[in-house]
Amino acid sequence: MKEIDQKFQLIDDRSVPVFIPFDEEARDILQQLKEYQGDDGRTLLRRAGVYTVGVQNVSHEGRPSPFQRLFDAGVVVPLWEKSTALFVLVDMSWYDEDALGLKLDIPDGQAVVL
């Protein structure tokens, strides 16, 4: 687990990688990532990159960052326990299929109940 956590480092641009499992292939990759044991890690991470977006993690005017609002609402969770290398969108209602992106208009204090 630690090995893949260390390998999955994106460019330091103050964003957090969020994996969006929006189709069958993405869900298959997600399952493989969850079960990762060290074999063929590069290929798996390359495949995961297609389904990964960077979400801004910089607060503005005292307001939580877009990533922090998603995280606080329970919309995204860490893929691996005790790791912040990759997060997963767990509530697909926050994925805009037409725009191919995340909805980031979560009001402060809102939570998603699963």
Side-chain angles (χ1 to χ4, degrees):
M1 184 68 62
K2 188 172 183 178
E3 182 180 322
I4 197 168
D5 184 35
Q6 291 171 342
K7 286 182 181 178
F8 201 91
Q9 296 298 317
L10 299 177
I11 297 169
D12 184 18
D13 64 1
R14 298 177 16 146
S15 67
V16 177
V18 176
F19 184 86
I20 304 175
F22 65 84
D23 65 14
E24 192 60 40
E25 182 177 354
R27 288 185 289 275
D28 180 54
I29 293 169
L30 178 60
Q31 189 59 40
Q32 290 177 51
L33 285 168
K34 287 179 179 179
E35 298 169 355
Y36 178 77
Q37 297 297 320
D39 298 331
D40 203 23
R42 271 181 207 234
T43 301
L44 185 57
L45 291 174
R46 242 183 262 120
R47 290 178 57 212
V50 175
Y51 298 96
T52 304
V53 297
V55 178
Q56 184 82 10
N57 196 21
V58 178
S59 60
H60 181 67
E61 296 178 357
R63 198 165 175 226
S65 70
F67 171 78
Q68 193 63 51
R69 290 195 311 270
L70 289 170
F71 181 77
D72 290 346
V75 175
V76 297
V77 299
L79 173 60
W80 303 288
E81 189 177 323
K82 300 178 183 175
S83 172
T84 58
L86 182 62
F87 288 78
V88 178
L89 181 68
V90 293
D91 182 347
M92 291 304 293
S93 70
W94 290 94
Y95 174 70
D96 185 338
E97 192 170 326
D98 294 328
L100 297 176
L102 287 174
K103 300 174 187 175
L104 297 176
D105 55 348
I106 297 175
D108 294 337
Q110 179 177 336
V112 175
V113 179
L114 301 176

